[in-house]
Amino acid sequence: MTNRKIKILIADDSLTVRNFLVKVFSLDPGIEVIGTAIDGQEAIEFVKKNRPDIITMDINMPRLDGFEATLKIMQENPIPIVIVSGDYNTTDTAKTFKALECGAVAILPRPVGVGNPDFDETVHRFVSNVKLLSEVKVIRRWNRIYNSSVTQENPNTIKDITQPIRIITLGASAGGPLVLQQILKNIPSNISVPILIVQHLDVEFAQGYADWLNIQSNIPIKIAKDGDILTAGVAYMAPGNHHIGVKAYNTILVSKDSKEKGHRPSVAFMFRSVREVFRNQVLAIILSGMGDDGAEELKLLKDKGAITIAQDFDSSLIHGMPGEAIRIGAASYILSPDQIIQFIKRNVSLSIK
């Protein structure tokens, strides 16, 4: 075990926010704030002379905003960058997700103020996520996102299937937003099945994330409501702080049942729900994420005869969820996002006659 502290740079133009985040990080003895920057340009200059383990970055800053600063740092000195947002206006949060395309590893809500009853809980969640994300290997990720030579599909890996697929389910956590965007913008617009999505997100970001996905997606992305009728060619995303599943072949279930694996929405809840209704006529996909949410339920789907896919190690920002699924034998296939897209195009869009 090492006692080395995690070194953090805070970039935010607000002195109040900078001081607040310094205070928040000082509560954890395993963290050291080694610098602060008032804009993106200062952050770039700091990184050239120092080597923080992770950067917390604001978006709206003078001289150079968080988008440009993130892009520049990831080009020159790749370091995990987390966008910290205190603005939950739907339009602004949708714009914030563009930072992922610049190379940021995640978007986190700023903890609530000291006098708020949720202060301790939000600080713990925030600090824990920052510590975990500080370990992300961003050089490998940067090359993967911006190298035009993408993973080539192996024709021996992707095989045609014969069973009908009546629904696709996608479950993801950290590292999932960009992969989901990649998959959804390449899915055929005439796909013949509905899609359910669980992406672990703080409740403030759910609608903004759906709006961001809709900008490039080939199919409409909709925040699900309880009782919605499942429609082919539409992707339904779990609303913030709610589970998503199905009640019957054509009806969506939205529930506020207890958290599972610490999550609501939970990938496990979704996978279990579709197994009960659609049995083996499911394509269930588990993508990048921390922890093991959904891994056991993916195995139960596979045992039922459903087709299951886990994202491969090389393309995953964090291989926790897909890695656990692979470890317990829950994956029929282990594929990159490009291969997942090809699998769907070859099998799902023609599966319902």
Side-chain angles (χ1 to χ4, degrees):
M1 292 251 334
T2 177
N3 292 322
R4 190 181 77 83
K5 293 186 176 183
I6 295 170
K7 297 180 291 185
I8 292 181
L9 168 66
I10 297 169
D12 198 296
D13 64 323
S14 167
L15 176 61
T16 301
V17 171
R18 292 197 304 274
N19 289 341
F20 175 69
L21 291 178
V22 168
K23 176 180 176 60
V24 164
F25 288 128
S26 72
L27 299 174
D28 191 305
I31 290 177
E32 178 186 4
V33 177
I34 62 169
T36 62
I38 65 172
D39 57 40
Q41 190 60 47
E42 271 199 12
I44 291 171
E45 295 303 319
F46 184 92
V47 168
K48 288 179 180 177
K49 300 174 182 177
N50 305 274
R51 187 70 187 181
D53 296 305
I54 191 166
I55 302 168
T56 65
M57 184 81 73
D58 187 24
I59 291 295
N60 298 311
M61 296 184 288
R63 284 210 296 171
L64 199 68
D65 66 22
F67 296 124
E68 292 298 322
T70 297
L71 189 61
K72 192 76 170 174
I73 290 169
M74 295 306 294
Q75 287 173 334
E76 297 179 352
N77 299 286
I79 290 170
I81 296 174
V82 175
I83 303 300
V84 178
S85 176
D87 190 343
Y88 308 128
N89 174 278
T90 300
T91 301
D92 289 336
T93 55
K95 291 178 182 176
T96 301
F97 278 97
K98 293 180 183 178
L100 300 176
E101 298 175 76
C102 297
V105 297
I107 299 168
L108 300 178
R110 193 165 62 233
V112 298
V114 177
N116 191 296
D118 295 327
F119 175 74
D120 289 340
E121 179 185 348
T122 60
V123 164
H124 174 73
R125 185 167 65 243
F126 175 74
V127 172
S128 297
N129 282 331
V130 169
K131 290 171 74 173
L132 286 167
L133 291 165
S134 72
E135 302 175 5
V136 170
K137 306 302 181 185
V138 289
I139 294 177
R140 175 167 57 86
R141 179 175 186 265
W142 177 256
N143 289 338
R144 184 172 66 252
I145 292 175
Y146 289 92
N147 188 336
S148 60
S149 178
V150 297
T151 304
Q152 297 299 306
E153 292 78 28
N154 181 347
N156 295 320
T157 302
I158 303 177
K159 301 175 182 177
D160 292 334
I161 61 173
T162 57
Q163 72 193 70
I165 299 298
R166 298 193 178 275
I167 194 166
I168 298 173
T169 55
L170 296 158
S173 186
L178 208 57
V179 177
L180 282 168
Q181 181 208 43
Q182 181 182 352
I183 292 172
L184 292 169
K185 75 178 182 181
N186 287 287
I187 280 181
S189 59
N190 63 341
I191 191 165
S192 56
V193 299
I195 298 171
L196 296 189
I197 299 170
V198 164
Q199 167 66 60
H200 294 162
L201 283 174
D202 286 272
V203 63
E204 301 91 346
F205 296 139
Q207 185 62 59
Y209 179 55
D211 292 345
W212 178 69
L213 286 176
N214 265 313
I215 294 169
Q216 295 188 51
S217 175
N218 257 351
I219 62 174
I221 314 297
K222 180 179 179 181
I223 296 290
K225 295 179 181 178
D226 189 59
D228 276 351
I229 302 301
L230 285 167
T231 303
V234 177
Y236 299 89
M237 199 172 87
N241 201 31
H242 287 76
H243 297 301
I244 188 173
V246 289
K247 298 178 182 179
Y249 273 106
N250 66 342
T251 310
I252 287 180
L253 167 68
V254 171
S255 165
K256 211 169 182 183
D257 285 358
S258 300
K259 292 182 179 181
E260 299 192 23
K261 302 282 186 178
H263 297 289
R264 188 171 58 217
S266 162
V267 180
F269 184 100
M270 176 178 66
F271 283 170
R272 186 170 59 252
S273 175
V274 296
R275 179 175 64 90
E276 292 171 356
V277 174
F278 290 94
R279 303 177 68 81
N280 71 332
Q281 298 180 329
V282 178
L283 173 56
I285 304 170
I286 195 165
L287 301 169
S288 175
M290 296 184 228
D292 60 359
D293 182 25
E296 293 179 5
E297 288 72 19
L298 193 73
K299 178 67 163 61
L300 293 174
L301 274 164
K302 183 186 176 190
D303 292 345
K304 180 71 75 173
I307 304 299
T308 60
I309 296 175
Q311 187 176 350
D312 68 354
F313 176 82
D314 285 340
S315 68
S316 296
L317 179 66
I318 296 177
H319 203 235
M321 286 162 47
E324 176 62 13
I326 292 167
R327 187 190 70 80
I328 65 174
S332 310
Y333 300 90
I334 303 167
L335 304 176
S336 70
D338 294 312
Q339 291 172 324
I340 292 170
I341 292 163
Q342 293 305 314
F343 187 97
I344 292 171
K345 286 180 176 179
R346 287 176 56 171
N347 292 290
V348 180
S349 60
L350 300 177
S351 61
I352 304 297
K353 305 301 182 184

